[in-house]
Coordinates of all heavy atoms in Angstrom, one line a residue:
E1255 N 92.8 74.7 97.5 CA 94.2 74.4 97.0 C 95.2 75.4 97.7 O 96.3 75.1 98.0 CB 94.3 74.6 95.5 CG 95.5 74.0 94.9 CD 95.5 74.0 93.4 OE1 94.4 74.0 92.8 OE2 96.6 73.8 92.8
A1256 N 94.7 76.7 97.9 CA 95.6 77.7 98.4 C 95.8 77.6 99.9 O 96.8 77.8 100.5 CB 95.2 79.1 98.0
N1257 N 94.6 77.3 100.6 CA 94.6 77.1 102.1 C 95.1 78.3 102.8 O 96.1 78.2 103.6 CB 95.3 75.8 102.5 CG 95.1 75.5 103.9 OD1 94.0 75.8 104.5 ND2 96.1 74.9 104.6
P1258 N 94.5 79.5 102.6 CA 95.0 80.7 103.3 C 94.6 80.6 104.8 O 93.8 79.7 105.2 CB 94.2 81.8 102.7 CG 93.0 81.2 102.1 CD 93.4 79.8 101.7
D1259 N 95.1 81.5 105.6 CA 94.8 81.4 107.1 C 93.4 82.0 107.3 O 92.8 81.7 108.4 CB 95.8 82.2 107.9 CG 97.2 81.5 107.8 OD1 97.4 80.5 108.4 OD2 98.0 82.0 107.0
A1260 N 92.9 82.9 106.5 CA 91.6 83.5 106.6 C 91.2 84.0 105.3 O 92.0 84.2 104.4 CB 91.7 84.7 107.6
V1261 N 89.9 84.2 105.1 CA 89.3 84.6 103.8 C 88.3 85.7 104.1 O 87.5 85.6 105.1 CB 88.6 83.4 103.1 CG1 88.0 84.0 101.8 CG2 89.6 82.4 102.7
I1262 N 88.3 86.7 103.3 CA 87.2 87.8 103.3 C 86.5 87.7 102.0 O 87.1 87.9 100.9 CB 87.8 89.2 103.5 CG1 88.5 89.2 104.9 CG2 86.8 90.2 103.4 CD1 89.2 90.6 105.2
I1263 N 85.2 87.5 102.1 CA 84.3 87.6 100.9 C 83.6 89.0 100.8 O 82.8 89.3 101.7 CB 83.3 86.5 100.8 CG1 84.0 85.1 100.9 CG2 82.5 86.6 99.5 CD1 85.0 84.8 99.8
N1264 N 83.9 89.8 99.8 CA 83.4 91.1 99.7 C 82.2 91.1 98.7 O 82.3 90.4 97.7 CB 84.4 92.1 99.2 CG 85.6 92.2 100.2 OD1 85.5 92.7 101.3 ND2 86.7 91.7 99.8
P1265 N 81.1 91.9 99.0 CA 80.1 92.0 98.0 C 80.6 92.8 96.8 O 81.6 93.5 96.9 CB 79.0 92.7 98.8 CG 79.7 93.5 99.8 CD 80.9 92.6 100.2
P1266 N 79.9 92.7 95.7 CA 80.4 93.5 94.5 C 80.1 94.9 94.6 O 79.0 95.4 94.2 CB 79.6 92.8 93.3 CG 78.3 92.3 94.0 CD 78.7 91.9 95.4
G1267 N 81.0 95.7 95.2 CA 80.8 97.1 95.4 C 80.9 97.9 94.1 O 81.8 97.6 93.3
V1268 N 80.0 98.8 93.8 CA 80.1 99.6 92.6 C 80.3 101.1 93.0 O 79.4 101.8 93.5 CB 78.7 99.5 91.8 CG1 78.9 100.2 90.5 CG2 78.3 98.1 91.7
F1269 N 81.6 101.5 92.9 CA 82.0 102.8 93.5 C 82.3 103.8 92.4 O 82.8 103.4 91.3 CB 83.3 102.6 94.3 CG 83.1 101.7 95.5 CD1 83.7 100.4 95.5 CD2 82.3 102.0 96.6 CE1 83.5 99.5 96.6 CE2 82.1 101.2 97.7 CZ 82.7 99.9 97.7
P1270 N 81.9 105.0 92.6 CA 82.2 106.1 91.6 C 83.6 106.2 91.2 O 84.5 105.9 92.1 CB 81.7 107.4 92.3 CG 80.7 106.9 93.4 CD 81.2 105.6 93.8
G1271 N 83.9 106.5 90.0 CA 85.3 106.6 89.5 C 85.9 105.3 89.1 O 87.1 105.3 88.7
T1272 N 85.2 104.2 89.1 CA 85.7 102.9 88.7 C 85.1 102.5 87.4 O 84.0 103.0 87.0 CB 85.4 101.8 89.8 OG1 84.0 101.6 89.8 CG2 85.9 102.2 91.1
V1273 N 85.7 101.5 86.7 CA 85.2 101.0 85.5 C 83.9 100.3 85.7 O 82.9 100.4 84.9 CB 86.2 100.0 84.9 CG1 85.6 99.2 83.7 CG2 87.5 100.7 84.5
W1274 N 83.7 99.6 86.8 CA 82.4 99.0 87.2 C 81.3 100.0 87.2 O 80.2 99.7 86.8 CB 82.5 98.2 88.5 CG 83.1 96.8 88.4 CD1 83.8 96.3 87.3 CD2 83.0 95.8 89.3 NE1 84.2 95.0 87.6 CE2 83.7 94.7 88.8 CE3 82.4 95.7 90.6 CZ2 83.8 93.5 89.5 CZ3 82.5 94.5 91.2 CH2 83.2 93.4 90.7
F1275 N 81.6 101.1 87.8 CA 80.6 102.2 87.9 C 80.2 102.8 86.5 O 79.1 102.9 86.1 CB 81.0 103.3 88.8 CG 80.0 104.3 89.2 CD1 79.1 104.1 90.2 CD2 79.8 105.5 88.4 CE1 78.1 105.0 90.5 CE2 78.8 106.4 88.8 CZ 78.0 106.1 89.8
D1276 N 81.3 103.0 85.7 CA 81.1 103.6 84.4 C 80.4 102.6 83.4 O 79.6 103.1 82.6 CB 82.4 104.0 83.8 CG 83.1 105.2 84.6 OD1 82.3 105.9 85.3 OD2 84.3 105.3 84.5
D1277 N 80.7 101.3 83.6 CA 80.1 100.3 82.7 C 79.1 99.5 83.3 O 78.9 98.3 83.0 CB 81.3 99.4 82.1 CG 82.2 100.2 81.3 OD1 81.9 101.3 80.8 OD2 83.4 99.7 81.0
K1278 N 78.4 100.0 84.3 CA 77.5 99.2 85.2 C 76.4 98.5 84.4 O 76.2 97.3 84.6 CB 76.9 100.1 86.2 CG 76.3 101.4 85.8 CD 75.8 102.3 87.0 CE 75.4 103.7 86.5 NZ 76.6 104.5 86.2
E1279 N 75.8 99.1 83.4 CA 74.7 98.4 82.7 C 75.3 97.3 81.9 O 74.7 96.2 81.8 CB 74.0 99.4 81.7 CG 73.2 100.4 82.4 CD 73.9 101.7 82.8 OE1 75.2 101.7 82.5 OE2 73.4 102.6 83.5
K1280 N 76.4 97.5 81.2 CA 77.1 96.4 80.4 C 77.5 95.2 81.3 O 77.4 94.1 80.8 CB 78.3 97.0 79.7 CG 79.0 96.1 78.7 CD 80.0 96.8 77.9 CE 81.1 97.3 78.7 NZ 82.2 97.9 77.8
L1281 N 77.8 95.5 82.5 CA 78.2 94.4 83.4 C 77.0 93.7 84.1 O 77.2 92.7 84.8 CB 79.2 94.9 84.5 CG 80.6 95.4 84.0 CD1 81.3 96.2 85.0 CD2 81.4 94.1 83.6
G1282 N 75.9 94.3 84.0 CA 74.7 93.6 84.6 C 74.2 94.3 85.9 O 73.3 93.8 86.6
F1283 N 74.8 95.4 86.2 CA 74.4 96.2 87.4 C 73.2 97.1 87.1 O 73.3 97.8 86.1 CB 75.5 97.0 88.0 CG 76.6 96.2 88.7 CD1 77.9 96.1 88.1 CD2 76.4 95.5 89.9 CE1 78.9 95.3 88.6 CE2 77.4 94.8 90.5 CZ 78.7 94.7 89.8
K1284 N 72.3 97.2 88.0 CA 71.2 98.2 87.9 C 71.2 99.0 89.2 O 71.0 98.4 90.3 CB 69.9 97.6 87.6 CG 69.7 97.1 86.2 CD 68.3 96.5 86.0 CE 68.1 96.0 84.6 NZ 66.8 95.4 84.3
L1285 N 71.5 100.2 89.2 CA 71.6 101.1 90.4 C 70.4 102.0 90.5 O 70.0 102.7 89.5 CB 72.9 101.9 90.4 CG 74.2 101.1 90.1 CD1 75.4 102.0 90.3 CD2 74.3 99.9 91.1
G1286 N 69.8 102.1 91.7 CA 68.7 103.0 91.9 C 69.2 104.4 91.8 O 70.4 104.7 91.9
E1287 N 68.3 105.3 91.7 CA 68.6 106.8 91.5 C 69.4 107.3 92.7 O 70.3 108.1 92.5 CB 67.3 107.6 91.4 CG 67.5 109.0 91.1 CD 66.2 109.8 90.8 OE1 65.1 109.1 90.7 OE2 66.2 111.0 90.9
N1288 N 69.1 106.8 93.9 CA 69.8 107.3 95.1 C 70.8 106.3 95.6 O 71.1 106.3 96.8 CB 68.8 107.6 96.2 CG 67.8 108.7 95.8 OD1 68.3 109.8 95.3 ND2 66.5 108.6 96.0
F1289 N 71.3 105.4 94.8 CA 72.2 104.3 95.2 C 73.4 104.8 95.9 O 73.8 104.4 97.0 CB 72.6 103.4 94.0 CG 73.7 102.5 94.3 CD1 73.4 101.3 95.1 CD2 75.0 102.7 93.9 CE1 74.4 100.4 95.4 CE2 76.0 101.8 94.2 CZ 75.7 100.7 95.0
V1290 N 74.1 105.8 95.3 CA 75.4 106.3 95.9 C 75.2 106.9 97.2 O 75.9 106.6 98.2 CB 76.1 107.2 94.9 CG1 77.4 107.8 95.6 CG2 76.5 106.5 93.6
P1291 N 74.2 107.8 97.4 CA 74.0 108.4 98.8 C 73.6 107.3 99.8 O 74.1 107.3 100.9 CB 72.9 109.4 98.6 CG 72.9 109.8 97.1 CD 73.4 108.6 96.4
E1292 N 72.8 106.3 99.3 CA 72.5 105.2 100.2 C 73.7 104.4 100.6 O 73.8 104.0 101.8 CB 71.4 104.3 99.6 CG 70.0 104.9 99.5 CD 69.1 104.0 98.7 OE1 69.5 102.9 98.3 OE2 67.9 104.4 98.5
L1293 N 74.5 104.2 99.7 CA 75.8 103.4 100.0 C 76.7 104.1 100.9 O 77.3 103.5 101.8 CB 76.5 103.1 98.6 CG 77.7 102.1 98.7 CD1 77.3 100.7 99.3 CD2 78.3 102.0 97.4
M1294 N 76.8 105.4 100.7 CA 77.7 106.2 101.6 C 77.2 106.2 103.0 O 78.0 106.3 103.9 CB 77.7 107.7 101.1 CG 78.4 107.9 99.7 SD 78.1 109.5 99.1 CE 78.9 110.5 100.3
N1295 N 75.9 106.1 103.2 CA 75.3 106.1 104.6 C 75.0 104.8 105.1 O 74.5 104.6 106.2 CB 74.0 106.9 104.6 CG 74.2 108.4 104.5 OD1 74.5 109.1 105.5 ND2 74.1 109.0 103.3
Y1296 N 75.3 103.7 104.3 CA 74.9 102.4 104.7 C 75.7 101.8 105.9 O 76.9 101.9 105.9 CB 75.1 101.4 103.6 CG 74.4 100.1 103.8 CD1 73.0 100.0 103.6 CD2 75.1 99.0 104.2 CE1 72.3 98.8 103.8 CE2 74.4 97.8 104.5 CZ 73.0 97.7 104.2 OH 72.4 96.5 104.5
E1297 N 75.0 101.4 106.9 CA 75.6 100.8 108.1 C 75.2 99.3 108.2 O 74.0 99.0 108.3 CB 75.1 101.6 109.4 CG 75.8 101.1 110.6 CD 77.3 101.6 110.7 OE1 77.7 102.4 109.9 OE2 78.0 101.1 111.6
Y1298 N 76.2 98.4 108.2 CA 75.9 97.0 108.3 C 75.4 96.7 109.7 O 76.0 97.0 110.7 CB 77.1 96.2 108.0 CG 77.6 96.3 106.6 CD1 78.6 97.2 106.2 CD2 77.0 95.6 105.6 CE1 79.0 97.3 104.9 CE2 77.4 95.7 104.3 CZ 78.4 96.6 103.9 OH 78.8 96.7 102.6
S1299 N 74.2 96.1 109.8 CA 73.6 95.7 111.1 C 74.0 94.4 111.5 O 73.3 93.4 111.3 CB 72.0 95.8 111.0 OG 71.6 97.1 110.6
I1300 N 75.2 94.2 112.0 CA 75.8 92.9 112.2 C 75.1 92.1 113.3 O 75.3 90.9 113.4 CB 77.3 93.0 112.6 CG1 77.5 93.9 113.8 CG2 78.1 93.5 111.4 CD1 78.9 94.0 114.3
Y1301 N 74.2 92.8 114.1 CA 73.5 92.1 115.1 C 72.2 91.5 114.6 O 71.4 90.9 115.4 CB 73.2 93.0 116.3 CG 72.5 94.2 116.0 CD1 71.1 94.3 116.1 CD2 73.2 95.4 115.7 CE1 70.4 95.4 115.8 CE2 72.5 96.5 115.4 CZ 71.1 96.6 115.4 OH 70.5 97.7 115.1
K1302 N 71.9 91.7 113.3 CA 70.7 91.1 112.7 C 71.1 90.1 111.6 O 72.1 90.3 111.0 CB 69.9 92.2 112.0 CG 69.3 93.3 113.0 CD 68.5 94.3 112.2 CE 68.0 95.5 113.0 NZ 67.3 96.5 112.2
P1303 N 70.2 89.1 111.4 CA 70.4 88.2 110.3 C 70.3 89.0 109.0 O 69.6 90.0 108.9 CB 69.2 87.2 110.4 CG 68.8 87.3 111.8 CD 69.1 88.7 112.2
V1304 N 71.1 88.6 107.9 CA 71.1 89.4 106.7 C 69.8 89.6 106.1 O 69.5 90.6 105.4 CB 72.1 88.7 105.7 CG1 73.5 88.7 106.2 CG2 71.6 87.3 105.4
E1305 N 68.8 88.7 106.3 CA 67.5 88.9 105.8 C 66.8 90.1 106.3 O 65.9 90.7 105.6 CB 66.6 87.7 106.1 CG 67.0 86.4 105.4 CD 68.1 85.6 106.1 OE1 68.6 86.1 107.2 OE2 68.6 84.6 105.6
F1306 N 67.2 90.6 107.4 CA 66.6 91.8 108.0 C 67.4 93.1 107.8 O 67.1 94.1 108.4 CB 66.4 91.6 109.5 CG 65.4 90.5 109.8 CD1 65.8 89.2 110.1 CD2 64.0 90.7 109.8 CE1 65.0 88.2 110.3 CE2 63.1 89.7 110.1 CZ 63.6 88.4 110.3
W1307 N 68.5 93.0 107.1 CA 69.3 94.2 106.8 C 68.6 95.1 105.9 O 67.7 94.7 105.1 CB 70.6 93.8 106.1 CG 71.6 93.2 107.1 CD1 71.4 92.8 108.3 CD2 73.0 93.0 106.8 NE1 72.6 92.3 108.9 CE2 73.6 92.4 107.9 CE3 73.8 93.2 105.7 CZ2 74.9 92.0 108.0 CZ3 75.2 92.8 105.7 CH2 75.7 92.2 106.9
R1308 N 68.9 96.4 106.1 CA 68.3 97.4 105.2 C 68.7 97.2 103.7 O 69.9 96.9 103.5 CB 68.7 98.8 105.6 CG 68.1 99.9 104.8 CD 68.3 101.3 105.6 NE 69.7 101.6 105.7 CZ 70.4 102.3 104.9 NH1 69.9 102.7 103.7 NH2 71.6 102.6 105.1

Side-chain angles (χ1 to χ4, degrees):
E1255 195 170 345
N1257 191 29
D1259 295 283
V1261 177
I1262 296 175
I1263 304 298
N1264 300 288
V1268 189
F1269 300 108
T1272 65
V1273 172
W1274 276 17
F1275 190 86
D1276 295 338
D1277 295 343
K1278 47 188 173 287
E1279 290 87 1
K1280 186 167 65 175
L1281 291 165
F1283 290 109
K1284 288 184 180 178
L1285 310 183
E1287 186 178 346
N1288 296 315
F1289 170 74
V1290 175
E1292 287 176 0
L1293 186 61
M1294 291 168 64
N1295 284 279
Y1296 192 80
E1297 187 71 13
Y1298 293 97
S1299 303
I1300 56 175
Y1301 56 89
K1302 296 179 184 177
V1304 294
E1305 291 83 0
F1306 295 95
W1307 284 13
R1308 184 166 61 89

